[in-house]
Amino acid sequence: MKRVEVDVAVIGAGSAGMTAYRAALAYTQKVVVIESGPYGTTCARVGCMPSKLLIAAAEAAHAVARAPLFGVAASGCHVDGRAVMRRVREERDRFAGFVVDSVETWPQEHRLRGPARFVAPHLLRVGEEIEVEAGRIVIATGSSPVVPPGWRETLGDRLVVSDDVFYWDDLPRSVAVAGAGVIGLELAQALSRLGVRVRLFGRNGSVGPLSDPAVVAVARSIFTSDMPFSAYAEHLQPTLQDGQVKMAFSEQGVLREESFERLLVAVGRRANLHDLDLQHAGLGLEEFGVPKSDPNTGQIDGSHVFMAGDASANMPLLHEATDEGVIAGANAGRYPHVQSRLRRAPLGIVFTDPQMAIVGGGHAALTKRGTRFETGEASFEDQGRSRVMAENRGLVRVYGEPGSGRFLGAEMVGPAAEHIGHLLAWALQQQQTVQQMVDSPFYHPTVEEGLRSALRQLARKLKPVALDLEKCRDCTPGT
């Protein structure tokens, strides 16, 4: 068996693994990256970019469909499913190709192909022919879609996950989508607007990553009116009948059935750790055998093993994965001199229509920490620029700290959320007060003026009432 000795071994060549490799190289040239699948990140191949390509096609179709609202005569909208998916695949392959080209410029001795597993704390086996002895190890194995037990066995190739969608040659006639999280919402709405008969199944009324009850209620109302959305579906049971997926479920106590060509399962993703034989890594494993890493160092329990990206399950987003790769790779390279690094202000965006944004972890994070906060809000229903564009749906809620007046975070569903979310995340990272944000420029007429209304309301709640002694000199007591 071939034996390789390195200072740092990185398992996985996705967004986190690539940045971990580059960061480790600043400290040692004895680095190897082990990858068992095709090169090309989750984002480029089956995530961020192909999903936005599908959404862009859906937005074009939707714009044509609602053109008469503006007095513009539209000659009709025909969606060519094969042309849609051809562009999705071609552009997806272009994005993934950039990643592949980058990895293939690395020295050959820095790349190993095959599945890796722990044999001992510092020893990895790659396939059946190579052993890697590593001083430090970075786990950057990514994640995979979760499928409920028995569903795949029941449905066979009629069941698909989000990764499969971007390899389609054509759009199906009908799809059931199980899971109203970020992926489920984005794909269900896009497919619906492209002419696919869709029903989205959620649980407990939740909508994407939103946690503020007021914002969730508005979002649920918007999306249930936009497409068939069973937000409170219970006892979901798919079966295969005459080549169709029959979805049996209950909603508000009523049993229902509906058949579709396919079932798209988008109920979540799980870290790719099950084949690593972590029991041999000498780590203290948490529940379900998953190790817990420090988000500011990437290190697992003071050991020589680090984690980054979706495998760590901290925040499964590309910009977070690359940050974690830099942190874990640098610390693995300089080990044992591990350094803590502050993370960026949390920011999450959902590319539905209207979009959603969560800044600072939102309502749930503040509540979980026991933080005292005040809330300001603004509806987009009568917001000037939003009405001009006929995109006047949604609600923004902003949070501030009593006493200090510091901005703490926000949740919103509404127009331009991807841009407003960035403004708010920058303000949070700079530790601005709500009054400083109110005093910043807001151009007219813009959607951002809706945000200003929410901030002004919050500022009034946070500002202590000052007593003007001059005006009250002649006031009678109690007035």
Side-chain angles (χ1 to χ4, degrees):
M1 181 171 291
K2 180 181 177 181
R3 194 175 184 89
V4 178
E5 295 184 6
V6 296
D7 292 329
V8 178
V10 179
I11 309 175
S15 299
M18 291 176 69
T19 53
Y21 165 73
R22 297 187 187 107
L25 282 178
Y27 300 91
T28 175
Q29 291 297 305
K30 296 180 67 176
V31 183
V32 68
V33 178
I34 306 165
E35 175 58 68
S36 61
Y39 290 134
T41 64
T42 294
C43 172
R45 194 177 293 281
V46 293
C48 320
M49 303 313 292
S51 67
K52 302 311 164 288
L53 286 162
L54 191 68
I55 289 170
E59 288 173 343
H62 186 62
V64 174
R66 72 185 198 129
L69 176 65
F70 300 93
V72 177
S75 59
C77 179
H78 169 70
V79 175
D80 183 339
R82 288 191 172 276
V84 168
M85 294 312 302
R86 182 168 58 251
R87 180 172 188 267
V88 168
R89 294 193 312 276
E90 288 175 352
E91 289 295 313
R92 181 272 315 275
D93 291 345
R94 179 174 174 271
F95 289 123
F98 294 146
V99 179
V100 174
D101 292 345
S102 177
V103 173
E104 290 182 345
T105 64
W106 299 351
Q108 184 63 47
E109 62 270 21
H110 288 183
R111 291 178 279 150
L112 287 178
R113 301 305 301 268
R117 66 186 190 277
F118 282 87
V119 177
H122 289 273
L123 189 63
L124 300 171
R125 184 163 294 166
V126 181
E128 298 301 328
E129 299 178 353
I130 302 174
E131 284 190 342
V132 177
E133 184 174 342
R136 287 84 68 190
I137 297 168
V138 177
I139 299 173
T141 47
S143 64
S144 299
V146 172
V147 176
W151 283 20
R152 189 174 293 282
E153 291 78 2
T154 299
L155 302 179
D157 61 5
R158 291 293 172 176
L159 182 148
V160 296
V161 295
S162 57
D163 293 11
D164 302 323
V165 169
F166 309 115
Y167 290 89
W168 285 350
D169 293 322
D170 197 355
L171 293 170
R173 288 188 293 271
S174 59
V175 175
V177 181
V182 174
I183 296 172
L185 273 167
E186 288 185 351
L187 293 182
Q189 187 183 56
L191 291 171
S192 178
R193 289 183 170 184
L194 288 167
V196 179
R197 179 171 62 84
V198 168
R199 178 169 293 277
L200 175 63
F201 295 93
R203 290 184 60 192
N204 305 319
S206 62
V207 182
L210 298 173
S211 65
D212 186 311
V215 183
V216 171
V218 170
R220 187 167 53 243
S221 175
I222 289 172
F223 292 113
T224 51
S225 66
D226 195 70
M227 61 182 167
F229 178 16
S230 298
Y232 292 92
E234 295 181 316
H235 312 299
L236 198 62
Q237 186 59 53
T239 56
L240 194 61
Q241 190 174 86
D242 299 326
Q244 294 279 300
V245 178
K246 185 173 74 173
M247 301 296 294
F249 62 101
S250 62
E251 191 173 21
Q252 297 179 334
V254 178
L255 295 176
R256 301 181 58 185
E257 290 184 351
E258 192 172 354
S259 294
F260 303 86
E261 279 191 5
R262 294 174 183 171
L263 169 61
L264 168 57
V265 178
V267 296
R269 297 179 70 91
R270 180 182 295 119
N272 295 328
L273 302 173
H274 49 281
D275 293 330
L276 290 180
D277 287 351
L278 289 172
Q279 68 274 18
H280 300 309
L283 305 173
L285 301 182
E286 302 284 321
E287 189 179 7
F288 307 118
V290 177
K292 183 68 175 176
S293 61
D294 183 333
N296 295 319
T297 65
Q299 191 175 27
I300 300 173
D301 198 26
S303 73
H304 65 290
V305 182
F306 299 80
M307 293 185 76
D310 289 6
S312 68
N314 288 325
M315 290 188 70
L317 303 167
L318 179 132
H319 66 277
E320 298 288 351
T322 55
D323 282 355
E324 290 179 2
V326 170
I327 293 169
N331 278 329
R334 65 166 70 97
Y335 182 87
H337 305 293
V338 173
Q339 295 180 6
S340 183
R341 171 174 160 173
L342 290 176
R343 302 296 298 272
R344 303 178 207 237
L347 170 63
I349 294 170
V350 185
F351 292 88
T352 47
D353 177 22
Q355 296 176 338
M356 292 179 267
I358 297 182
V359 177
H363 189 278
L366 294 173
T367 304
K368 184 177 180 180
R369 292 197 299 263
T371 304
R372 289 180 58 243
F373 63 94
E374 291 286 353
T375 303
E377 68 174 51
S379 169
F380 289 97
E381 289 187 10
D382 291 318
Q383 200 276 320
R385 181 64 185 279
S386 301
R387 288 195 67 88
V388 166
M389 300 183 296
E391 294 179 4
N392 51 314
R393 302 187 295 173
L395 178 72
V396 58
R397 300 252 289 178
V398 290
Y399 316 116
E401 183 178 57
S404 71
R406 232 174 17 100
F407 173 64
L408 297 176
E411 290 196 25
M412 73 169 288
V413 56
E418 63 178 294
H419 306 299
I420 292 174
H422 276 88
L423 293 178
L424 293 174
W426 293 348
L428 180 63
Q429 184 150 318
Q430 294 166 5
Q431 300 184 14
Q432 290 187 358
T433 66
V434 173
Q435 189 59 51
Q436 285 176 318
M437 297 166 71
V438 170
D439 292 340
S440 298
F442 287 84
Y443 200 81
H444 174 78
T446 61
V447 175
E448 283 77 6
E449 288 179 299
L451 169 62
R452 182 179 60 184
S453 298
L455 290 169
R456 281 175 168 173
Q457 185 187 94
L458 177 56
R460 288 194 293 269
K461 291 183 179 181
L462 295 175
K463 187 176 182 179
V465 178
L467 181 63
D468 190 330
L469 295 180
E470 286 297 319
K471 291 182 178 180
C472 291
R473 178 173 294 171
D474 299 323
C475 296
T476 55
T479 63

